[in-house]
Amino acid sequence: MRRSHLFERLNAGMHKKLTLISASAGYGKTTLVSEWLADSKRPAAWLSLDEEDNAPERFLLHLVAALKKIVAVNGEGAWKALQSPQPPPIPYILTALINELSSGSAAFVLVLDDYHVIESRTIHDALAFLIDNQPLPMHLIILTREDPPLSIARLRAQDQLTELRLQDLRFTSHEAVLFLNQVMGLHLSPTEVLALEKRTEGWAVGLQLAALSMQGHTNTEPFISAFSGTHRFVLDYLMEEVLRQQPEEVQTFLLYTSMLDRFCASLCDAIVQTARGGQEMLEVLERSNLFIVPLDSERRWYRYHHLFADLLRQRFKQACKEKGDAIAALHSRASQWFEQNELELEAFQHAAAAQDTDRVAALIEGKGMPLHFRGAVHPVLTWLQRQDEATLNNRPSLWVIYASAQLMVGELNGIEQKLFAAEAALKLLDPDQIDPDLVGHIASIKATLAVTRNDADTIIAQSLIALEHLHPDNLSVRAATSWTLGVAYQLQGNRAAARQAYAEALAISKRIGHVIIALMAALGTGQIQERDNQLKLAVQTYKEAIQLAGEPPLPAICDAYLGMARIYYEWNDLNAADEYCQRSILLAGQLENTDRLADSQLFAAKLKLARQELSAAEALLAKARREVQERSLRHLMGKVGHVELLIALRHGHLPEDAMLLEAKEWPALQARIYMHQGKAAAALAVLGDLLEQAKAKQLKHKQLELLVLQAVAFQCQGRIDRALQSLKAALMLAKHDGFVRLFVDEGKPMLDLLTEAVARRIELDYTDFLLSNMRDEQKLEDFALLHRYNHSQPFVDNLSERELEVLQLIAQGLSNQQIGDRLFLALSTVKGYNRNIFEKLQVKRRTEAIARARELGLI
């Protein structure tokens, strides 16, 4: 039935963000919007919610699934992110979804039905974020029995809200006549309709239930006269009347299927046997208006009206109270059907409802990959948290699954205690009852815990125990264990063994779809390739890892973006390096208890220095230093000291004595400081020892860095031949993968060495290439390169490329207006460039600027 005045209000509100339809149960909220959508022919995504949707991942998964039916949602975007074992934070999933929805042009409606069942603060916050950033094509409709905890007052004040409430939804007398006589096929007099309308107060469900009860009655007056009571009383009474009028077969079908949140024909057949079969029964229920709600346009899946389902379940429990195992048996049959149809999560939920611990455990363990590895970690954890110790002790595998699930969500506290409990329970069994695979899984989790402590010895010991005991078919845990071995070997500097372990983990994970381990193995491989100076190969591996991380990406992929930033920086592509570095910082900020954010910020500071952005570099260094100090990240202090040194030298002075003392813990940094103090011999002594150690350990990247420093130290000592020997060795290591910044960042001393190398035809093509890059480095990094090793002259901020152009034209004698015409700049803009140039050159007029620029070699 259509109510035109409500349709008009819904149509009028389409330009606003939200339509809120809030009223008690049974006032026709769902029917109203369904009829309006059918009348308006607007494309709509309809999501009917239940209590299970309080899990944020489930809510978002169902939301995106509903949207995918009517709008183009990228399968590689929010949808893929939600399929991962450890989805990224909700704001990033929503941001990806909003971006995808905004790209479409056709308007559509998103309906959230029964929103009152949502109690999760996380979901309320997510919906508020979606409303605040709502894509223009979308209009949101919320159907609820109570107002949601959203900014309703603010939306109302901004005229972004349309509201329909109880008083709007009550049937008028005219609408009651149309509904009872035309829709429900009764022949009531106006007086009888008025009596029912008054007694139900226009309550749609009350009218519908009254009409169902009166069907087949020739004398309706006594029924109407006796009709009274509160909504709940009336509802219960009429439900009884409706059920009693149904054939026994229909009643049985309704009661037995009421324990299902959703159902289809074949599922109903598995639960209850009827002569007519599930499909025909569903058609009968729909034709009879027996509170059945289709969940898809194909009318394959259905659910019952929530109030109707509540009553059915209550009556079924009462009917089964003398045989309490009946409901459990139905849940077991439902669980088997869902498992056979590869709906493992719902199979798990019904097994849990049946209190079938063995079946729950078997479903969690899965066939080839545990359930909590496939996106169901939170339901699994919730079930485990509800079990008592006796239940877990009787099945030690549950303790192990508990620890594994906690590890997956990053809850490290309590994992070791659960492993100890599992081991204690195993000791109570006969040796032939102990599953070796379980022993292996325990060892694998212990190895992963040791990874968080960088404890290589423990990682290796536990990983080897795991691989010895794990079943050959337990590929998911074997892949994780191969990865932990790779981490341990990498920590020990055994890169060949680490490569092999990572390769095995990556191959297995790809085969079984274990995204997290595949991602981590790819990251480890890329880092080793980068350390072995295989920059081109590392880029390919990092790109593969980024693809595995999906969109929006998993936060752990920040390592790949930082690796890409380092490599593109080395190739002197500063724009690409900056883009990758910013992505790394954004993702690293989502990780807790790691050093990734500080590491990314330190590299960003170094990148800002290369772009002559001193203030930005200092700000980033301050953030990174604070992060390092607050988290006690001692292993990053060497990088902090290096960036502090570079910034101090840009200011024209060496760091304070305190820093020089602290730098002794990082010999390479100490050697660099010695060089800037003019103590080349001391620097060479340190570098010689470090170089021997790097060669012994085959640390190729470290060898390359040290050879470059050694060449500069020899050059500072005036030993050019010896400097060129070190430079040649560095060039041989660097040329295959195109290192640039490693040389360019050394400034004027390296410029002189490369110039001499060209003259002596040492690696001529490569040295020519490096010299070309140095000449492009803003006129040899402007005057900063010229004075990096000459601290007697005052420091001058570097000029930008545009400022150098303006300075050249000033030297040619052009007026400000002529410069503006030449460069297509406004006169005010040219004057602004003049002020910047004079300030940086520490002069007051044009003639002084020209003289100063010539002195510094800028023109």
Side-chain angles (χ1 to χ4, degrees), residues 92-132:
Y92 287 91
I93 295 176
L94 288 175
T95 299
L97 179 62
I98 290 166
N99 290 338
E100 293 175 54
L101 297 177
S102 298
S103 63
S105 56
F108 67 93
V109 176
L110 170 62
V111 182
L112 299 181
D113 195 5
D114 288 333
Y115 191 79
H116 53 270
V117 302
I118 299 300
E119 299 175 351
S120 166
R121 183 71 255 177
T122 301
I123 294 178
H124 294 321
D125 291 342
L127 188 60
F129 181 91
L130 180 62
I131 292 171
D132 287 342

mmCIF file of all heavy atoms in Angstrom, residues 92-132:
data_model
loop_
_atom_site.group_PDB
_atom_site.id
_atom_site.type_symbol
_atom_site.label_atom_id
_atom_site.label_comp_id
_atom_site.label_asym_id
_atom_site.label_seq_id
_atom_site.Cartn_x
_atom_site.Cartn_y
_atom_site.Cartn_z
ATOM 1 N N TYR A 92 40.092 3.484 7.113
ATOM 2 C CA TYR A 92 40.714 3.336 5.806
ATOM 3 C C TYR A 92 39.867 2.487 4.873
ATOM 4 O O TYR A 92 39.818 2.728 3.659
ATOM 5 C CB TYR A 92 42.128 2.761 5.956
ATOM 6 C CG TYR A 92 43.054 3.800 6.513
ATOM 7 C CD1 TYR A 92 43.251 3.922 7.878
ATOM 8 C CD2 TYR A 92 43.662 4.717 5.677
ATOM 9 C CE1 TYR A 92 44.065 4.909 8.397
ATOM 10 C CE2 TYR A 92 44.480 5.714 6.179
ATOM 11 C CZ TYR A 92 44.677 5.805 7.538
ATOM 12 O OH TYR A 92 45.473 6.800 8.049
ATOM 13 N N ILE A 93 39.155 1.504 5.444
ATOM 14 C CA ILE A 93 38.207 0.740 4.628
ATOM 15 C C ILE A 93 37.089 1.660 4.144
ATOM 16 O O ILE A 93 36.722 1.654 2.966
ATOM 17 C CB ILE A 93 37.630 -0.427 5.439
ATOM 18 C CG1 ILE A 93 38.735 -1.430 5.791
ATOM 19 C CG2 ILE A 93 36.510 -1.118 4.667
ATOM 20 C CD1 ILE A 93 38.268 -2.561 6.673
ATOM 21 N N LEU A 94 36.561 2.495 5.055
ATOM 22 C CA LEU A 94 35.485 3.411 4.682
ATOM 23 C C LEU A 94 35.968 4.459 3.681
ATOM 24 O O LEU A 94 35.241 4.832 2.762
ATOM 25 C CB LEU A 94 34.931 4.100 5.928
ATOM 26 C CG LEU A 94 34.096 3.211 6.860
ATOM 27 C CD1 LEU A 94 33.704 3.979 8.108
ATOM 28 C CD2 LEU A 94 32.848 2.710 6.147
ATOM 29 N N THR A 95 37.204 4.943 3.859
ATOM 30 C CA THR A 95 37.749 5.924 2.920
ATOM 31 C C THR A 95 37.827 5.341 1.516
ATOM 32 O O THR A 95 37.443 5.985 0.534
ATOM 33 C CB THR A 95 39.143 6.377 3.380
ATOM 34 O OG1 THR A 95 39.022 6.990 4.670
ATOM 35 C CG2 THR A 95 39.736 7.378 2.403
ATOM 36 N N ALA A 96 38.307 4.094 1.427
ATOM 37 C CA ALA A 96 38.363 3.432 0.124
ATOM 38 C C ALA A 96 36.968 3.274 -0.463
ATOM 39 O O ALA A 96 36.738 3.513 -1.652
ATOM 40 C CB ALA A 96 39.043 2.072 0.261
ATOM 41 N N LEU A 97 36.007 2.884 0.383
ATOM 42 C CA LEU A 97 34.633 2.699 -0.083
ATOM 43 C C LEU A 97 34.035 4.019 -0.553
ATOM 44 O O LEU A 97 33.399 4.090 -1.616
ATOM 45 C CB LEU A 97 33.785 2.097 1.038
ATOM 46 C CG LEU A 97 32.309 1.863 0.723
ATOM 47 C CD1 LEU A 97 32.154 0.861 -0.413
ATOM 48 C CD2 LEU A 97 31.571 1.373 1.959
ATOM 49 N N ILE A 98 34.242 5.088 0.233
ATOM 50 C CA ILE A 98 33.711 6.405 -0.132
ATOM 51 C C ILE A 98 34.288 6.872 -1.462
ATOM 52 O O ILE A 98 33.577 7.394 -2.331
ATOM 53 C CB ILE A 98 34.001 7.425 0.986
ATOM 54 C CG1 ILE A 98 33.146 7.103 2.223
ATOM 55 C CG2 ILE A 98 33.742 8.857 0.509
ATOM 56 C CD1 ILE A 98 33.585 7.815 3.469
ATOM 57 N N ASN A 99 35.592 6.664 -1.651
ATOM 58 C CA ASN A 99 36.233 7.056 -2.908
ATOM 59 C C ASN A 99 35.635 6.298 -4.086
ATOM 60 O O ASN A 99 35.401 6.861 -5.162
ATOM 61 C CB ASN A 99 37.735 6.803 -2.835
ATOM 62 C CG ASN A 99 38.428 7.767 -1.892
ATOM 63 O OD1 ASN A 99 37.918 8.845 -1.610
ATOM 64 N ND2 ASN A 99 39.584 7.391 -1.383
ATOM 65 N N GLU A 100 35.369 4.994 -3.883
ATOM 66 C CA GLU A 100 34.791 4.201 -4.964
ATOM 67 C C GLU A 100 33.357 4.649 -5.274
ATOM 68 O O GLU A 100 32.981 4.771 -6.437
ATOM 69 C CB GLU A 100 34.802 2.724 -4.577
ATOM 70 C CG GLU A 100 36.204 2.123 -4.478
ATOM 71 C CD GLU A 100 36.199 0.697 -3.972
ATOM 72 O OE1 GLU A 100 35.489 -0.115 -4.572
ATOM 73 O OE2 GLU A 100 36.879 0.414 -2.977
ATOM 74 N N LEU A 101 32.575 4.928 -4.228
ATOM 75 C CA LEU A 101 31.194 5.348 -4.441
ATOM 76 C C LEU A 101 31.125 6.743 -5.072
ATOM 77 O O LEU A 101 30.216 7.042 -5.848
ATOM 78 C CB LEU A 101 30.427 5.337 -3.117
ATOM 79 C CG LEU A 101 30.274 3.966 -2.443
ATOM 80 C CD1 LEU A 101 29.552 4.111 -1.109
ATOM 81 C CD2 LEU A 101 29.518 2.992 -3.345
ATOM 82 N N SER A 102 32.070 7.609 -4.719
ATOM 83 C CA SER A 102 32.065 8.980 -5.241
ATOM 84 C C SER A 102 32.365 9.018 -6.725
ATOM 85 O O SER A 102 32.013 9.972 -7.419
ATOM 86 C CB SER A 102 33.086 9.826 -4.481
ATOM 87 O OG SER A 102 32.760 9.898 -3.113
ATOM 88 N N SER A 103 33.065 7.982 -7.218
ATOM 89 C CA SER A 103 33.449 7.997 -8.634
ATOM 90 C C SER A 103 32.263 7.727 -9.562
ATOM 91 O O SER A 103 32.320 8.008 -10.741
ATOM 92 C CB SER A 103 34.542 6.953 -8.888
ATOM 93 O OG SER A 103 34.045 5.651 -8.611
ATOM 94 N N GLY A 104 31.179 7.158 -9.021
ATOM 95 C CA GLY A 104 29.999 6.903 -9.839
ATOM 96 C C GLY A 104 29.137 8.146 -9.976
ATOM 97 O O GLY A 104 29.228 9.086 -9.191
ATOM 98 N N SER A 105 28.284 8.181 -10.984
ATOM 99 C CA SER A 105 27.457 9.365 -11.218
ATOM 100 C C SER A 105 25.989 9.137 -10.875
ATOM 101 O O SER A 105 25.267 10.081 -10.594
ATOM 102 C CB SER A 105 27.571 9.792 -12.688
ATOM 103 O OG SER A 105 27.208 8.721 -13.542
ATOM 104 N N ALA A 106 25.504 7.884 -10.902
ATOM 105 C CA ALA A 106 24.079 7.618 -10.678
ATOM 106 C C ALA A 106 23.755 7.673 -9.189
ATOM 107 O O ALA A 106 24.461 7.112 -8.363
ATOM 108 C CB ALA A 106 23.714 6.252 -11.249
ATOM 109 N N ALA A 107 22.659 8.362 -8.858
ATOM 110 C CA ALA A 107 22.224 8.460 -7.464
ATOM 111 C C ALA A 107 21.646 7.120 -7.009
ATOM 112 O O ALA A 107 21.051 6.386 -7.794
ATOM 113 C CB ALA A 107 21.185 9.561 -7.319
ATOM 114 N N PHE A 108 21.855 6.802 -5.741
ATOM 115 C CA PHE A 108 21.306 5.568 -5.192
ATOM 116 C C PHE A 108 20.999 5.775 -3.720
ATOM 117 O O PHE A 108 21.408 6.756 -3.096
ATOM 118 C CB PHE A 108 22.286 4.404 -5.373
ATOM 119 C CG PHE A 108 23.542 4.526 -4.566
ATOM 120 C CD1 PHE A 108 23.645 3.956 -3.290
ATOM 121 C CD2 PHE A 108 24.642 5.221 -5.068
ATOM 122 C CE1 PHE A 108 24.797 4.075 -2.545
ATOM 123 C CE2 PHE A 108 25.803 5.337 -4.325
ATOM 124 C CZ PHE A 108 25.881 4.770 -3.060
ATOM 125 N N VAL A 109 20.251 4.802 -3.155
ATOM 126 C CA VAL A 109 19.834 4.859 -1.759
ATOM 127 C C VAL A 109 20.447 3.677 -1.012
ATOM 128 O O VAL A 109 20.468 2.558 -1.529
ATOM 129 C CB VAL A 109 18.298 4.804 -1.641
ATOM 130 C CG1 VAL A 109 17.864 4.768 -0.175
ATOM 131 C CG2 VAL A 109 17.671 6.007 -2.353
ATOM 132 N N LEU A 110 20.964 3.935 0.182
ATOM 133 C CA LEU A 110 21.429 2.876 1.082
ATOM 134 C C LEU A 110 20.473 2.826 2.273
ATOM 135 O O LEU A 110 20.290 3.829 2.965
ATOM 136 C CB LEU A 110 22.859 3.144 1.560
ATOM 137 C CG LEU A 110 23.363 2.238 2.695
ATOM 138 C CD1 LEU A 110 23.391 0.778 2.258
ATOM 139 C CD2 LEU A 110 24.745 2.687 3.157
ATOM 140 N N VAL A 111 19.839 1.668 2.496
ATOM 141 C CA VAL A 111 18.881 1.496 3.587
ATOM 142 C C VAL A 111 19.496 0.577 4.643
ATOM 143 O O VAL A 111 19.921 -0.543 4.328
ATOM 144 C CB VAL A 111 17.558 0.894 3.084
ATOM 145 C CG1 VAL A 111 16.567 0.765 4.240
ATOM 146 C CG2 VAL A 111 16.967 1.752 1.966
ATOM 147 N N LEU A 112 19.552 1.056 5.879
ATOM 148 C CA LEU A 112 19.961 0.234 7.016
ATOM 149 C C LEU A 112 18.718 -0.040 7.851
ATOM 150 O O LEU A 112 18.211 0.840 8.540
ATOM 151 C CB LEU A 112 21.027 0.950 7.851
ATOM 152 C CG LEU A 112 22.339 1.296 7.125
ATOM 153 C CD1 LEU A 112 23.307 1.975 8.089
ATOM 154 C CD2 LEU A 112 22.970 0.045 6.529
ATOM 155 N N ASP A 113 18.220 -1.270 7.779
ATOM 156 C CA ASP A 113 16.978 -1.650 8.439
ATOM 157 C C ASP A 113 17.283 -2.274 9.797
ATOM 158 O O ASP A 113 18.249 -3.012 9.949
ATOM 159 C CB ASP A 113 16.226 -2.652 7.545
ATOM 160 C CG ASP A 113 14.777 -2.808 7.981
ATOM 161 O OD1 ASP A 113 14.335 -2.082 8.898
ATOM 162 O OD2 ASP A 113 14.088 -3.663 7.398
ATOM 163 N N ASP A 114 16.440 -1.973 10.786
ATOM 164 C CA ASP A 114 16.594 -2.488 12.156
ATOM 165 C C ASP A 114 17.923 -2.059 12.776
ATOM 166 O O ASP A 114 18.612 -2.841 13.424
ATOM 167 C CB ASP A 114 16.479 -4.015 12.173
ATOM 168 C CG ASP A 114 15.058 -4.477 11.933
ATOM 169 O OD1 ASP A 114 14.113 -3.725 12.253
ATOM 170 O OD2 ASP A 114 14.876 -5.585 11.419
ATOM 171 N N TYR A 115 18.272 -0.802 12.584
ATOM 172 C CA TYR A 115 19.549 -0.318 13.115
ATOM 173 C C TYR A 115 19.595 -0.337 14.645
ATOM 174 O O TYR A 115 20.672 -0.313 15.246
ATOM 175 C CB TYR A 115 19.818 1.102 12.597
ATOM 176 C CG TYR A 115 21.236 1.561 12.887
ATOM 177 C CD1 TYR A 115 22.278 1.126 12.095
ATOM 178 C CD2 TYR A 115 21.529 2.388 13.966
ATOM 179 C CE1 TYR A 115 23.585 1.507 12.360
ATOM 180 C CE2 TYR A 115 22.826 2.774 14.251
ATOM 181 C CZ TYR A 115 23.849 2.327 13.439
ATOM 182 O OH TYR A 115 25.139 2.693 13.714
ATOM 183 N N HIS A 116 18.439 -0.445 15.304
ATOM 184 C CA HIS A 116 18.414 -0.445 16.765
ATOM 185 C C HIS A 116 19.129 -1.660 17.356
ATOM 186 O O HIS A 116 19.469 -1.656 18.549
ATOM 187 C CB HIS A 116 16.961 -0.423 17.267
ATOM 188 C CG HIS A 116 16.125 -1.508 16.690
ATOM 189 N ND1 HIS A 116 15.417 -1.347 15.522
ATOM 190 C CD2 HIS A 116 15.893 -2.783 17.095
ATOM 191 C CE1 HIS A 116 14.774 -2.471 15.240
ATOM 192 N NE2 HIS A 116 15.065 -3.364 16.185
ATOM 193 N N VAL A 117 19.364 -2.702 16.559
ATOM 194 C CA VAL A 117 20.061 -3.875 17.103
ATOM 195 C C VAL A 117 21.560 -3.608 17.264
ATOM 196 O O VAL A 117 22.264 -4.374 17.919
ATOM 197 C CB VAL A 117 19.853 -5.120 16.215
ATOM 198 C CG1 VAL A 117 18.388 -5.430 16.067
ATOM 199 C CG2 VAL A 117 20.516 -4.946 14.857
ATOM 200 N N ILE A 118 22.049 -2.528 16.652
ATOM 201 C CA ILE A 118 23.482 -2.223 16.712
ATOM 202 C C ILE A 118 23.796 -1.518 18.024
ATOM 203 O O ILE A 118 23.259 -0.456 18.327
ATOM 204 C CB ILE A 118 23.916 -1.344 15.519
ATOM 205 C CG1 ILE A 118 23.666 -2.086 14.207
ATOM 206 C CG2 ILE A 118 25.386 -0.961 15.647
ATOM 207 C CD1 ILE A 118 24.423 -3.387 14.072
ATOM 208 N N GLU A 119 24.700 -2.118 18.788
ATOM 209 C CA GLU A 119 25.142 -1.539 20.059
ATOM 210 C C GLU A 119 26.620 -1.187 20.037
ATOM 211 O O GLU A 119 27.122 -0.559 20.967
ATOM 212 C CB GLU A 119 24.876 -2.526 21.199
ATOM 213 C CG GLU A 119 23.411 -2.863 21.371
ATOM 214 C CD GLU A 119 23.173 -3.925 22.422
ATOM 215 O OE1 GLU A 119 24.176 -4.524 22.885
ATOM 216 O OE2 GLU A 119 22.014 -4.150 22.773
ATOM 217 N N SER A 120 27.320 -1.576 18.994
ATOM 218 C CA SER A 120 28.769 -1.383 18.922
ATOM 219 C C SER A 120 29.112 0.094 18.720
ATOM 220 O O SER A 120 28.683 0.721 17.743
ATOM 221 C CB SER A 120 29.350 -2.203 17.763
ATOM 222 O OG SER A 120 30.668 -1.803 17.480
ATOM 223 N N ARG A 121 29.895 0.637 19.632
ATOM 224 C CA ARG A 121 30.355 2.020 19.489
ATOM 225 C C ARG A 121 31.201 2.190 18.235
ATOM 226 O O ARG A 121 31.154 3.238 17.568
ATOM 227 C CB ARG A 121 31.174 2.383 20.735
ATOM 228 C CG ARG A 121 31.679 3.819 20.811
ATOM 229 C CD ARG A 121 30.552 4.792 21.076
ATOM 230 N NE ARG A 121 30.191 5.547 19.893
ATOM 231 C CZ ARG A 121 29.211 6.420 19.842
ATOM 232 N NH1 ARG A 121 28.460 6.638 20.892
ATOM 233 N NH2 ARG A 121 28.927 7.075 18.722
ATOM 234 N N THR A 122 31.966 1.145 17.917
ATOM 235 C CA THR A 122 32.819 1.204 16.731
ATOM 236 C C THR A 122 31.990 1.378 15.468
ATOM 237 O O THR A 122 32.330 2.168 14.581
ATOM 238 C CB THR A 122 33.668 -0.072 16.623
ATOM 239 O OG1 THR A 122 34.474 -0.200 17.804
ATOM 240 C CG2 THR A 122 34.572 -0.035 15.398
ATOM 241 N N ILE A 123 30.850 0.661 15.395
ATOM 242 C CA ILE A 123 30.000 0.776 14.206
ATOM 243 C C ILE A 123 29.305 2.132 14.179
ATOM 244 O O ILE A 123 29.183 2.755 13.119
ATOM 245 C CB ILE A 123 28.981 -0.374 14.179
ATOM 246 C CG1 ILE A 123 29.708 -1.711 13.994
ATOM 247 C CG2 ILE A 123 27.954 -0.163 13.070
ATOM 248 C CD1 ILE A 123 28.800 -2.907 13.998
ATOM 249 N N HIS A 124 28.866 2.619 15.337
ATOM 250 C CA HIS A 124 28.260 3.960 15.373
ATOM 251 C C HIS A 124 29.263 5.003 14.863
ATOM 252 O O HIS A 124 28.902 5.898 14.095
ATOM 253 C CB HIS A 124 27.827 4.307 16.790
ATOM 254 C CG HIS A 124 26.712 3.455 17.317
ATOM 255 N ND1 HIS A 124 25.655 3.044 16.535
ATOM 256 C CD2 HIS A 124 26.491 2.940 18.559
ATOM 257 C CE1 HIS A 124 24.830 2.306 17.267
ATOM 258 N NE2 HIS A 124 25.316 2.224 18.493
ATOM 259 N N ASP A 125 30.513 4.883 15.313
ATOM 260 C CA ASP A 125 31.542 5.837 14.869
ATOM 261 C C ASP A 125 31.798 5.700 13.373
ATOM 262 O O ASP A 125 32.010 6.696 12.668
ATOM 263 C CB ASP A 125 32.844 5.602 15.645
ATOM 264 C CG ASP A 125 32.718 5.985 17.115
ATOM 265 O OD1 ASP A 125 31.777 6.727 17.458
ATOM 266 O OD2 ASP A 125 33.574 5.563 17.900
ATOM 267 N N ALA A 126 31.795 4.465 12.892
ATOM 268 C CA ALA A 126 32.013 4.236 11.463
ATOM 269 C C ALA A 126 30.887 4.867 10.638
ATOM 270 O O ALA A 126 31.138 5.492 9.598
ATOM 271 C CB ALA A 126 32.111 2.740 11.177
ATOM 272 N N LEU A 127 29.635 4.717 11.117
ATOM 273 C CA LEU A 127 28.498 5.297 10.386
ATOM 274 C C LEU A 127 28.568 6.825 10.424
ATOM 275 O O LEU A 127 28.272 7.493 9.425
ATOM 276 C CB LEU A 127 27.187 4.806 10.985
ATOM 277 C CG LEU A 127 25.928 5.194 10.194
ATOM 278 C CD1 LEU A 127 25.990 4.630 8.787
ATOM 279 C CD2 LEU A 127 24.679 4.690 10.903
ATOM 280 N N ALA A 128 28.985 7.387 11.574
ATOM 281 C CA ALA A 128 29.145 8.842 11.661
ATOM 282 C C ALA A 128 30.197 9.328 10.670
ATOM 283 O O ALA A 128 30.030 10.361 10.009
ATOM 284 C CB ALA A 128 29.531 9.237 13.086
ATOM 285 N N PHE A 129 31.285 8.567 10.536
ATOM 286 C CA PHE A 129 32.338 8.908 9.568
ATOM 287 C C PHE A 129 31.782 8.859 8.144
ATOM 288 O O PHE A 129 32.058 9.751 7.321
ATOM 289 C CB PHE A 129 33.498 7.916 9.726
ATOM 290 C CG PHE A 129 34.655 8.165 8.805
ATOM 291 C CD1 PHE A 129 35.709 8.980 9.195
ATOM 292 C CD2 PHE A 129 34.708 7.572 7.548
ATOM 293 C CE1 PHE A 129 36.781 9.216 8.349
ATOM 294 C CE2 PHE A 129 35.766 7.787 6.693
ATOM 295 C CZ PHE A 129 36.809 8.608 7.092
ATOM 296 N N LEU A 130 30.979 7.832 7.863
ATOM 297 C CA LEU A 130 30.390 7.706 6.529
ATOM 298 C C LEU A 130 29.451 8.871 6.233
ATOM 299 O O LEU A 130 29.455 9.423 5.129
ATOM 300 C CB LEU A 130 29.652 6.375 6.427
ATOM 301 C CG LEU A 130 28.962 6.072 5.091
ATOM 302 C CD1 LEU A 130 29.977 6.003 3.971
ATOM 303 C CD2 LEU A 130 28.183 4.758 5.180
ATOM 304 N N ILE A 131 28.649 9.283 7.217
ATOM 305 C CA ILE A 131 27.721 10.399 7.014
ATOM 306 C C ILE A 131 28.486 11.705 6.807
ATOM 307 O O ILE A 131 28.156 12.509 5.925
ATOM 308 C CB ILE A 131 26.753 10.513 8.209
ATOM 309 C CG1 ILE A 131 25.811 9.301 8.242
ATOM 310 C CG2 ILE A 131 25.938 11.800 8.130
ATOM 311 C CD1 ILE A 131 24.957 9.211 9.491
ATOM 312 N N ASP A 132 29.522 11.934 7.623
ATOM 313 C CA ASP A 132 30.305 13.168 7.505
ATOM 314 C C ASP A 132 30.988 13.273 6.154
ATOM 315 O O ASP A 132 31.197 14.370 5.636
ATOM 316 C CB ASP A 132 31.347 13.242 8.620
ATOM 317 C CG ASP A 132 30.731 13.535 9.979
ATOM 318 O OD1 ASP A 132 29.571 14.008 10.011
ATOM 319 O OD2 ASP A 132 31.388 13.290 10.999
#
